[in-house]
Amino acid sequence: MTFSIVGRDPRTGDVGVAVASKFLAVGALVPFVRGGVGAVATQSFVNPTFGPVGLDRLAQGHAPALVRAQFESEDAGIVQRQFGLVDASGRSATFTGPGCHAWAGGVAAENVAIQGNILAGPEVVDAMLAAWEAEVGAALPWRLLRALQAGDAAGGDRRGRQSAALLCAGPGRGYGGLTDDWVNLRADDHADPCGELERLLGVFDLLFGRPETTREFTVEELGWLRRTLVKQGYAPALPDGPWDPATEAAAWALYGTENLEERWVPGGQVDPVALAYLRRQFGT
């Protein structure tokens, strides 16, 4: 009772799943990803073992089409299952059992698999594929989300809306570059779950995005930062003049408190996105 998109970014190797449903906390059951391996969406009288088992088989080198055939031959309830897979090289597969509630179906192409059941009609899948193709060049989380939103706008789950989720992984994409786990966002019970995912992804990009550009603080900005650091209690006093170790220590503490450590740049450099956020928070 769900529509989903499983995708891979051919530029970066990132993989992910976006899913929405008239079902509580759909993100707890449907999406599975593993950096450098692939992604799986399992739905419609969901068999949640398809996620970890599918990823293990992809990791062993099995093509998505082979994994699909294995699931078909092994699962006694396959007639009511639906799933999509994409691997780290962009091969994909989708499956819709003949016992899934109408409308049900999907499409698979290089780097993407889209599927859904109890949908308003085939136009949902068509709209998702068109949006996916139109968003070439976008970061994978946003590309997946735009496709999901297009499906929702085309009628989505014909029973209504309740939850949505976005799960992505990529090489070194995780916190501090220490893991491949990247975006993991859910709207578990919401009147507009796809809209809520968009809001959450915007917050995620602000707090956990990494600087795209950096530059030196201007004299005015550095003066503002020092006054703010003293006012907020991060230092008793700070000197005028060029960037110094005391200012760096206090600024690092501020960034940590504001959850901006992924946007931290040492040595008197600044990420303009982080600076704009701080000035909104503490005044200009």
PDB file of all heavy atoms in Angstrom, residues 163-184:
ATOM      1  N   SER A 163       2.516   8.733   5.889  1.00  0.00           N
ATOM      2  CA  SER A 163       3.938   8.754   6.243  1.00  0.00           C
ATOM      3  C   SER A 163       4.805   8.738   5.000  1.00  0.00           C
ATOM      4  O   SER A 163       4.352   8.403   3.900  1.00  0.00           O
ATOM      5  CB  SER A 163       4.287   7.563   7.140  1.00  0.00           C
ATOM      6  OG  SER A 163       4.160   6.332   6.430  1.00  0.00           O
ATOM      7  N   ALA A 164       6.066   9.106   5.184  1.00  0.00           N
ATOM      8  CA  ALA A 164       7.048   9.099   4.098  1.00  0.00           C
ATOM      9  C   ALA A 164       8.432   8.994   4.713  1.00  0.00           C
ATOM     10  O   ALA A 164       8.634   9.296   5.896  1.00  0.00           O
ATOM     11  CB  ALA A 164       6.933  10.362   3.239  1.00  0.00           C
ATOM     12  N   ALA A 165       9.388   8.564   3.903  1.00  0.00           N
ATOM     13  CA  ALA A 165      10.754   8.403   4.398  1.00  0.00           C
ATOM     14  C   ALA A 165      11.749   8.576   3.262  1.00  0.00           C
ATOM     15  O   ALA A 165      11.424   8.347   2.088  1.00  0.00           O
ATOM     16  CB  ALA A 165      10.933   7.034   5.055  1.00  0.00           C
ATOM     17  N   LEU A 166      12.959   8.962   3.628  1.00  0.00           N
ATOM     18  CA  LEU A 166      14.059   9.144   2.680  1.00  0.00           C
ATOM     19  C   LEU A 166      15.317   8.585   3.321  1.00  0.00           C
ATOM     20  O   LEU A 166      15.695   8.988   4.426  1.00  0.00           O
ATOM     21  CB  LEU A 166      14.235  10.635   2.374  1.00  0.00           C
ATOM     22  CG  LEU A 166      15.347  11.040   1.421  1.00  0.00           C
ATOM     23  CD1 LEU A 166      15.118  10.456   0.034  1.00  0.00           C
ATOM     24  CD2 LEU A 166      15.444  12.564   1.344  1.00  0.00           C
ATOM     25  N   LEU A 167      15.948   7.648   2.635  1.00  0.00           N
ATOM     26  CA  LEU A 167      17.126   6.963   3.162  1.00  0.00           C
ATOM     27  C   LEU A 167      18.177   6.902   2.070  1.00  0.00           C
ATOM     28  O   LEU A 167      17.910   6.405   0.974  1.00  0.00           O
ATOM     29  CB  LEU A 167      16.729   5.555   3.614  1.00  0.00           C
ATOM     30  CG  LEU A 167      17.715   4.732   4.432  1.00  0.00           C
ATOM     31  CD1 LEU A 167      18.051   5.421   5.747  1.00  0.00           C
ATOM     32  CD2 LEU A 167      17.136   3.349   4.702  1.00  0.00           C
ATOM     33  N   CYS A 168      19.373   7.443   2.335  1.00  0.00           N
ATOM     34  CA  CYS A 168      20.437   7.477   1.334  1.00  0.00           C
ATOM     35  C   CYS A 168      21.774   7.120   1.965  1.00  0.00           C
ATOM     36  O   CYS A 168      22.005   7.357   3.161  1.00  0.00           O
ATOM     37  CB  CYS A 168      20.561   8.866   0.703  1.00  0.00           C
ATOM     38  SG  CYS A 168      19.100   9.440  -0.182  1.00  0.00           S
ATOM     39  N   ALA A 169      22.671   6.585   1.141  1.00  0.00           N
ATOM     40  CA  ALA A 169      24.033   6.272   1.577  1.00  0.00           C
ATOM     41  C   ALA A 169      24.987   6.554   0.430  1.00  0.00           C
ATOM     42  O   ALA A 169      24.609   6.506  -0.742  1.00  0.00           O
ATOM     43  CB  ALA A 169      24.144   4.811   2.014  1.00  0.00           C
ATOM     44  N   GLY A 170      26.232   6.847   0.787  1.00  0.00           N
ATOM     45  CA  GLY A 170      27.251   7.104  -0.223  1.00  0.00           C
ATOM     46  C   GLY A 170      28.625   7.099   0.399  1.00  0.00           C
ATOM     47  O   GLY A 170      28.774   7.274   1.615  1.00  0.00           O
ATOM     48  N   PRO A 171      29.657   6.904  -0.389  1.00  0.00           N
ATOM     49  CA  PRO A 171      31.019   6.804   0.133  1.00  0.00           C
ATOM     50  C   PRO A 171      31.425   8.015   0.979  1.00  0.00           C
ATOM     51  O   PRO A 171      31.492   9.139   0.492  1.00  0.00           O
ATOM     52  CB  PRO A 171      31.869   6.697  -1.138  1.00  0.00           C
ATOM     53  CG  PRO A 171      30.941   6.170  -2.184  1.00  0.00           C
ATOM     54  CD  PRO A 171      29.604   6.753  -1.850  1.00  0.00           C
ATOM     55  N   GLY A 172      31.649   7.799   2.268  1.00  0.00           N
ATOM     56  CA  GLY A 172      32.082   8.865   3.166  1.00  0.00           C
ATOM     57  C   GLY A 172      31.066   9.962   3.382  1.00  0.00           C
ATOM     58  O   GLY A 172      31.407  11.045   3.881  1.00  0.00           O
ATOM     59  N   ARG A 173      29.803   9.717   3.073  1.00  0.00           N
ATOM     60  CA  ARG A 173      28.783  10.757   3.161  1.00  0.00           C
ATOM     61  C   ARG A 173      28.304  10.999   4.587  1.00  0.00           C
ATOM     62  O   ARG A 173      27.684  12.028   4.871  1.00  0.00           O
ATOM     63  CB  ARG A 173      27.578  10.372   2.306  1.00  0.00           C
ATOM     64  CG  ARG A 173      27.799  10.490   0.814  1.00  0.00           C
ATOM     65  CD  ARG A 173      27.859  11.930   0.394  1.00  0.00           C
ATOM     66  NE  ARG A 173      27.642  12.092  -1.032  1.00  0.00           N
ATOM     67  CZ  ARG A 173      27.585  13.256  -1.655  1.00  0.00           C
ATOM     68  NH1 ARG A 173      27.725  14.374  -0.960  1.00  0.00           N
ATOM     69  NH2 ARG A 173      27.400  13.317  -2.952  1.00  0.00           N
ATOM     70  N   GLY A 174      28.532  10.053   5.473  1.00  0.00           N
ATOM     71  CA  GLY A 174      27.981  10.148   6.815  1.00  0.00           C
ATOM     72  C   GLY A 174      28.677  11.171   7.694  1.00  0.00           C
ATOM     73  O   GLY A 174      29.645  11.838   7.285  1.00  0.00           O
ATOM     74  N   TYR A 175      28.206  11.279   8.915  1.00  0.00           N
ATOM     75  CA  TYR A 175      28.673  12.288   9.861  1.00  0.00           C
ATOM     76  C   TYR A 175      30.183  12.197  10.047  1.00  0.00           C
ATOM     77  O   TYR A 175      30.727  11.127  10.341  1.00  0.00           O
ATOM     78  CB  TYR A 175      27.964  12.091  11.197  1.00  0.00           C
ATOM     79  CG  TYR A 175      28.297  13.129  12.237  1.00  0.00           C
ATOM     80  CD1 TYR A 175      27.686  14.373  12.210  1.00  0.00           C
ATOM     81  CD2 TYR A 175      29.229  12.869  13.234  1.00  0.00           C
ATOM     82  CE1 TYR A 175      27.981  15.330  13.169  1.00  0.00           C
ATOM     83  CE2 TYR A 175      29.532  13.817  14.189  1.00  0.00           C
ATOM     84  CZ  TYR A 175      28.911  15.049  14.150  1.00  0.00           C
ATOM     85  OH  TYR A 175      29.220  15.992  15.094  1.00  0.00           O
ATOM     86  N   GLY A 176      30.849  13.316   9.856  1.00  0.00           N
ATOM     87  CA  GLY A 176      32.291  13.379  10.007  1.00  0.00           C
ATOM     88  C   GLY A 176      33.054  12.610   8.951  1.00  0.00           C
ATOM     89  O   GLY A 176      34.266  12.440   9.067  1.00  0.00           O
ATOM     90  N   GLY A 177      32.369  12.146   7.914  1.00  0.00           N
ATOM     91  CA  GLY A 177      33.026  11.331   6.891  1.00  0.00           C
ATOM     92  C   GLY A 177      33.425   9.958   7.376  1.00  0.00           C
ATOM     93  O   GLY A 177      34.204   9.264   6.717  1.00  0.00           O
ATOM     94  N   LEU A 178      32.863   9.528   8.518  1.00  0.00           N
ATOM     95  CA  LEU A 178      33.288   8.288   9.162  1.00  0.00           C
ATOM     96  C   LEU A 178      32.416   7.097   8.800  1.00  0.00           C
ATOM     97  O   LEU A 178      32.707   5.969   9.203  1.00  0.00           O
ATOM     98  CB  LEU A 178      33.302   8.477  10.681  1.00  0.00           C
ATOM     99  CG  LEU A 178      34.224   9.591  11.189  1.00  0.00           C
ATOM    100  CD1 LEU A 178      34.027   9.791  12.683  1.00  0.00           C
ATOM    101  CD2 LEU A 178      35.676   9.272  10.872  1.00  0.00           C
ATOM    102  N   THR A 179      31.331   7.326   8.069  1.00  0.00           N
ATOM    103  CA  THR A 179      30.420   6.259   7.690  1.00  0.00           C
ATOM    104  C   THR A 179      29.813   6.593   6.342  1.00  0.00           C
ATOM    105  O   THR A 179      29.824   7.757   5.912  1.00  0.00           O
ATOM    106  CB  THR A 179      29.312   6.099   8.755  1.00  0.00           C
ATOM    107  OG1 THR A 179      28.345   5.144   8.294  1.00  0.00           O
ATOM    108  CG2 THR A 179      28.587   7.412   8.995  1.00  0.00           C
ATOM    109  N   ASP A 180      29.272   5.576   5.669  1.00  0.00           N
ATOM    110  CA  ASP A 180      28.573   5.804   4.409  1.00  0.00           C
ATOM    111  C   ASP A 180      27.108   6.178   4.617  1.00  0.00           C
ATOM    112  O   ASP A 180      26.460   6.673   3.695  1.00  0.00           O
ATOM    113  CB  ASP A 180      28.637   4.549   3.525  1.00  0.00           C
ATOM    114  CG  ASP A 180      30.048   4.248   3.038  1.00  0.00           C
ATOM    115  OD1 ASP A 180      30.906   5.153   3.067  1.00  0.00           O
ATOM    116  OD2 ASP A 180      30.292   3.095   2.631  1.00  0.00           O
ATOM    117  N   ASP A 181      26.562   5.911   5.822  1.00  0.00           N
ATOM    118  CA  ASP A 181      25.159   6.235   6.100  1.00  0.00           C
ATOM    119  C   ASP A 181      24.985   7.748   6.047  1.00  0.00           C
ATOM    120  O   ASP A 181      25.692   8.486   6.732  1.00  0.00           O
ATOM    121  CB  ASP A 181      24.751   5.696   7.469  1.00  0.00           C
ATOM    122  CG  ASP A 181      24.771   4.180   7.515  1.00  0.00           C
ATOM    123  OD1 ASP A 181      24.665   3.561   6.443  1.00  0.00           O
ATOM    124  OD2 ASP A 181      24.903   3.617   8.613  1.00  0.00           O
ATOM    125  N   TRP A 182      23.997   8.204   5.301  1.00  0.00           N
ATOM    126  CA  TRP A 182      23.897   9.620   4.978  1.00  0.00           C
ATOM    127  C   TRP A 182      22.564  10.179   5.461  1.00  0.00           C
ATOM    128  O   TRP A 182      22.399  10.487   6.634  1.00  0.00           O
ATOM    129  CB  TRP A 182      24.093   9.784   3.465  1.00  0.00           C
ATOM    130  CG  TRP A 182      24.134  11.181   2.936  1.00  0.00           C
ATOM    131  CD1 TRP A 182      24.298  12.337   3.630  1.00  0.00           C
ATOM    132  CD2 TRP A 182      24.024  11.546   1.555  1.00  0.00           C
ATOM    133  NE1 TRP A 182      24.295  13.418   2.777  1.00  0.00           N
ATOM    134  CE2 TRP A 182      24.131  12.970   1.504  1.00  0.00           C
ATOM    135  CE3 TRP A 182      23.834  10.838   0.380  1.00  0.00           C
ATOM    136  CZ2 TRP A 182      24.051  13.677   0.296  1.00  0.00           C
ATOM    137  CZ3 TRP A 182      23.765  11.544  -0.824  1.00  0.00           C
ATOM    138  CH2 TRP A 182      23.877  12.945  -0.866  1.00  0.00           C
ATOM    139  N   VAL A 183      21.582  10.291   4.589  1.00  0.00           N
ATOM    140  CA  VAL A 183      20.286  10.864   4.939  1.00  0.00           C
ATOM    141  C   VAL A 183      19.376   9.766   5.487  1.00  0.00           C
ATOM    142  O   VAL A 183      19.256   8.700   4.877  1.00  0.00           O
ATOM    143  CB  VAL A 183      19.626  11.524   3.716  1.00  0.00           C
ATOM    144  CG1 VAL A 183      18.248  12.065   4.076  1.00  0.00           C
ATOM    145  CG2 VAL A 183      20.508  12.623   3.156  1.00  0.00           C
ATOM    146  N   ASN A 184      18.734  10.029   6.624  1.00  0.00           N
ATOM    147  CA  ASN A 184      17.801   9.081   7.220  1.00  0.00           C
ATOM    148  C   ASN A 184      16.689   9.904   7.875  1.00  0.00           C
ATOM    149  O   ASN A 184      16.758  10.232   9.051  1.00  0.00           O
ATOM    150  CB  ASN A 184      18.505   8.196   8.245  1.00  0.00           C
ATOM    151  CG  ASN A 184      17.634   7.053   8.738  1.00  0.00           C
ATOM    152  OD1 ASN A 184      16.412   7.078   8.575  1.00  0.00           O
ATOM    153  ND2 ASN A 184      18.237   6.066   9.367  1.00  0.00           N
TER     154      ASN A 184
END
